[in-house]
Amino acid sequence: DIQMTQSPASLAASVGDRVTITCQASQDIDNSLKWYQQKPGKAPRLLISDASNLETGDPSRFSGSGSGTDFTFTISSLQPEDIATYYCQQYDNVPYTFGQGTKLEIK
Amino acid sequence: QVQLVQSGAEVKRPGASVKVSCKASGYTFTDFYIQWVRQAPGQGLEWMGIINPYDGSRRYAQEVQDRVTMTTDTSTTTVSLELRSLRSDDTAVYYCATIAVAGPHFDYWGQGTLVTVSS
């Protein structure tokens, strides 16, 4: 199985800050990576697919990059509504494993 | 619009079985796979398995493969998850979600079903 190592587990930042979350795969997954946002009591919501493709309608402050084993998710200017937990998921090989999640809080 | 509507919350005793359903609408049911994901209270997302509504083929996560069965009914556009021999650590919110294994992504989630396992 492919292991996804996501860091940090939690992060406190100020409004307007640049926030970066990383995800490392235990083997090459090409660009088969999604980033999800999950708010309390809600289902996850897809933000980015194929490592860097932002979903239509989502703010351009969200971005993703990487290929192979190392991936990055960035919020260029943190907004209060971005407070959530973020997860990566690889879909290169079954089982489609998730990272452990990053809980983002306002400082 | 695309919707995945899941069955309601369940409370089960340890050792019992539970069946969670996921009714799809708003798209061609057989065009996209369904994955099941669960989330224990305060924990992360755990991938459980995937089923192809077109032919019923499925793959399960190793952690649950001996206790889980996923089925599909094209007549009712419903996918179901059955989990047997329930344990307390099966207490979680269970989500169904569409997933495209090729081509453009098609990512829609059900509202989640809370399954509580308690004696």
Side-chain angles (χ1 to χ4, degrees), chain A residues 88-102:
Chain A
C88 61
Q89 182 193 25
Q90 67 81 19
Y91 51 96
D92 185 65
N93 269 307
V94 167
Y96 293 159
T97 40
F98 289 91
Q100 299 90 334
T102 297

Side-chain angles (χ1 to χ4, degrees), chain B residues 43-93:
Chain B
Q43 302 302 308
L45 302 171
E46 179 186 9
W47 190 85
M48 297 184 70
I50 190 169
I51 186 166
N52 182 351
Y54 178 77
D55 62 7
S57 59
R58 53 224 155 173
R59 296 282 301 276
Y60 301 140
Q62 190 171 7
E63 292 77 7
V64 294
Q65 66 180 6
D66 294 335
R67 301 190 293 128
V68 72
T69 301
M70 295 176 189
T71 55
T72 181
D73 184 342
T74 54
S75 68
T76 61
T77 65
T78 298
V79 173
S80 297
L81 168 79
E82 182 182 34
L83 190 60
R84 301 176 294 278
S85 302
L86 288 168
R87 312 184 294 238
S88 57
D89 62 359
D90 291 318
T91 295
V93 175

